[in-house]
Each structure stands twice: as C-alpha cells, then as structure tokens.
Amino acid sequence: AQSVTQPDIHITVSEGASLELRCNYSYGATPYLFWYVQSPGQGLQLLLKYFSGDTLVQGIKGFEAEFKRSQSSFNLRKPSVHWSDAAEYFCAVGATMNYGGSQGNLIFGKGTKLSVKP
Amino acid sequence: NAGVMQNPRHLVRRRGQEARLRCSPMKGHSHVYWYRQLPEEGLKFMVYLQKENIIDESGMPKERFSAEFPKEGPSILRIQQVVRGDSAAYFCASTQKVAQGDIGFFGQGTRLTVV
C-alpha cells in the first residue's frame, strides 16, 4: 500500500537559516508528489508538486523540493526561512487507479510543524 | 483559500445528533473532495464527487456518513448519530477537472466537536 512518512514531528529553525523537511514515500511506480502548507486555523495550500521530468521542482514562497527515486524521498527545502514560514507542512502522494484509488485521492503524511525563532 | 468556502467553521454537536457540513467549490469547479483530519494526523481522503455523482467513496466510513453534490448548491457531508470519535477537522477541496490529481487549495475546514 502507498504510504508517506514525515520523520520529524516538530522542527525549530532560526530566522534566516536554511530548512529541509524530510519526506519518504512508499509506492510501486513513479509517484505524484506534493507538499502543502497549513497555517494555524487555515486550510492547506499547495506549495509545489512533482509529476515527471526535472527532479528539482520550484514552488511558491521560495520553496523547492527534490525527488530522489533511489531514496524514495521528496524533501522540501528553503535557503533562508522567514518568520512567516512558521506553519505545518504536509507531504502527500497521489493514489492511482492501480491501487483502487482515483485522481484527487491523496495520501498525506502526519505533518511537520515548523517553528521559527528570531 | 477564500475560493473554496466551507461552513460552518466550527460545529458542536451532542452525541447522537446529526452534523451537516457544507462546501461551496470555487467558481467553475465541478469536482469536490472531502478529507478528514484527526488530531495529530495528516488528512485522510473520504470521498470524491462530481456534480450529482459519487466517483470514489473508498475513504468513507460505511455507516452514518454520506455525501452529496447536487446540481445546484453546495456539497454536503452528512454525519448521522455522531460519536466522540467523529470529532475532527473536515476539509473540502475542489478542482476544475481531474488531470493528475493535484489539488491547489483546500477550504478552511469545519472543526466538528462532539460532546
């Protein structure tokens, strides 16, 4: 079965420092991969997505992620964190018909909460 | 994203009551997805609907839960005879078409508390 693991429940970084949030997935074929951000009391917003092609994808708000098939990873990075980046970040993989799912059926990790200290 | 509107934002129900959660998709969107987020968990897919059709309900509990997306009006997620375990945040998303499964925005969610 498809699954997504985010090993870090909570990360604290200093403002201006670099950030890397880890995501590992389990999937039998080339996955569709996503990163979402959820600010407190808000819904989720898509940061970036990977479907195929270039393994380094750029997203909004200065984020990027790299798909590494050999490591089954899709880690999210940002070179310099801003205080407004404090939020919860979710990695997700798209289920497909091969697993009885449908497009739009996303499997989410449990999230990584990011705190930013001044 | 203000484009996907959910109401109410907060809903308190006593055990055994019914809960009705509403989702108005973004303008021009005819595909709606419902997800549930339990405390300390990621979102879990519940159901995918197009206008007047349920396409995929593989994530819906078999009993007490139902969803609809009528020709006119919002999509409704209905939970009958709520129990404490139904307390969660319920999120809705919409897309114009189902291309490769990406969903840009989820609504702000309805936080259901069962007392």
Side-chain angles (χ1 to χ4, degrees):
Chain A
Q2 297 162 313
S3 65
V4 176
T5 302
Q6 293 180 248
D8 304 304
I9 296 172
H10 192 181
I11 283 182
T12 300
V13 299
S14 298
E15 191 167 16
S18 64
L19 170 71
E20 182 168 28
L21 301 181
R22 296 184 290 165
C23 173
N24 294 97
Y25 65 88
S26 170
Y27 191 71
T30 300
Y32 301 146
L33 293 161
F34 311 87
W35 273 100
Y36 286 86
V37 60
Q38 183 181 27
S39 297
Q42 301 296 313
L44 277 72
Q45 183 181 12
L46 180 66
L47 283 175
L48 48 77
K49 61 191 178 189
Y50 171 79
F51 288 164
S52 64
D54 194 346
T55 56
L56 184 63
V57 293
Q58 303 296 321
I60 61 171
K61 306 185 181 189
F63 285 92
E64 66 177 27
E66 187 171 11
F67 169 57
K68 292 186 177 179
R69 185 191 300 276
S70 61
Q71 298 176 20
S72 297
S73 68
F74 188 56
N75 294 348
L76 181 71
R77 301 195 293 247
K78 186 169 185 178
S80 177
V81 168
H82 188 262
W83 63 267
S84 61
D85 293 324
E88 191 154 19
Y89 292 81
F90 292 93
C91 181
V93 63
T96 68
M97 294 304 293
N98 287 337
Y99 285 84
S102 67
Q103 294 165 334
N105 181 339
L106 303 181
I107 297 168
F108 282 84
K110 292 187 178 183
T112 298
K113 197 165 290 187
L114 173 67
S115 298
V116 180
K117 58 183 181 182
Chain B
N1 177 32
V4 179
M5 302 300 294
Q6 290 187 248
N7 66 82
R9 291 288 306 279
H10 299 274
L11 181 62
V12 179
R13 284 287 177 265
R14 288 199 177 90
R15 280 179 294 170
Q17 290 185 319
E18 178 180 285
R20 278 182 178 246
L21 288 62
R22 288 177 290 278
C23 169
S24 297
M26 289 181 72
K27 190 176 181 181
H29 287 191
S30 58
H31 302 254
V32 164
Y33 313 84
W34 284 94
Y35 280 75
R36 176 166 64 174
Q37 184 180 29
L38 294 168
E40 310 300 324
E41 296 284 326
L43 275 71
K44 296 272 194 291
F45 171 81
M46 297 183 76
V47 62
Y48 159 39
L49 309 104
Q50 292 180 26
K51 285 282 188 181
E52 301 184 278
N53 286 304
I54 296 174
I55 306 301
D56 180 356
E57 56 181 350
S58 57
M60 286 274 274
K62 294 289 184 280
E63 297 177 350
R64 303 187 298 107
F65 284 72
S66 62
E68 62 177 17
F69 188 17
K71 189 175 179 182
E72 302 290 338
S75 175
I76 306 286
L77 180 68
R78 184 178 173 212
I79 311 172
Q80 295 177 291
Q81 300 174 326
V82 295
V83 300
R84 288 238 170 90
D86 297 332
S87 295
Y90 292 82
F91 290 96
C92 167
S94 70
T95 55
Q96 190 173 37
K97 59 179 181 177
V98 180
Q100 290 171 302
D102 58 318
I103 298 176
F105 292 98
F106 288 74
Q108 291 180 303
T110 294
R111 278 151 182 86
L112 172 65
T113 302
V114 179
V115 297

